[in-house]
Amino acid sequence: MAVEIKYVVVRKGEEKMTFASKKEADAYDKMLDMAEVFCDWLSAAPLDMDENQREALGMFLSENKDAVQQILRTSKMPEAEQARPVVSAVETDEADAEEKKPKASRIKAA
């Protein structure tokens, strides 16, 4: 019999995601904390957004925090590889396969 340890991120009594490592679970929990802060901050903004839009935008900003930091630091868009927004917390097999290809095979000929 095998013993597996799973780390579950729970918010407001709801399971959000399960991870195999504590480090990944902590990183996801931190991202959710950041998304919540962004959502609260956006609610004070003079914008007409409903709660779902604020939550979605807060999550998008927290998932792409490196790009946001780059823009705030330099007032420029990040490089193409950095600027690619996160699709979701759960990556698809197709995206994983694309990432595993050598960079040379992803470059299109001119």
Side-chain angles (χ1 to χ4, degrees):
M1 175 167 76
V3 176
E4 272 187 41
I5 297 175
K6 293 186 179 184
Y7 298 90
V8 180
V9 177
V10 178
R11 288 288 171 128
K12 299 177 184 173
E14 179 184 338
E15 287 187 18
K16 293 293 185 178
M17 191 81 74
T18 302
F19 297 91
S21 77
K22 183 174 180 357
K23 182 179 177 181
E24 290 173 332
D26 286 341
Y28 188 75
D29 188 51
K30 185 176 178 180
M31 185 185 70
L32 292 177
D33 285 340
M34 191 181 316
E36 190 174 320
V37 171
F38 274 129
C39 183
D40 292 344
W41 179 65
L42 289 167
S43 68
L47 303 170
D48 187 26
M49 287 192 286
D50 64 30
E51 186 174 351
N52 290 336
Q53 289 173 319
R54 285 193 307 270
E55 287 176 359
L57 183 55
M59 191 64 155
F60 177 79
L61 292 171
S62 67
E63 288 173 340
N64 295 284
K65 72 175 185 155
D66 293 335
V68 172
Q69 289 173 341
Q70 173 76 18
I71 292 167
L72 291 172
R73 194 170 47 251
T74 65
S75 298
K76 295 179 184 175
M77 287 293 289
E79 296 299 318
E81 189 66 25
Q82 289 178 327
R84 202 173 69 200
V86 175
V87 177
S88 70
V90 180
E91 294 188 23
T92 63
D93 291 334
E94 185 177 304
D96 288 340
E98 181 67 23
E99 286 297 317
K100 291 177 184 174
K101 288 182 184 176
K103 287 187 179 185
S105 68
R106 286 189 268 163
I107 300 173
K108 294 183 179 177

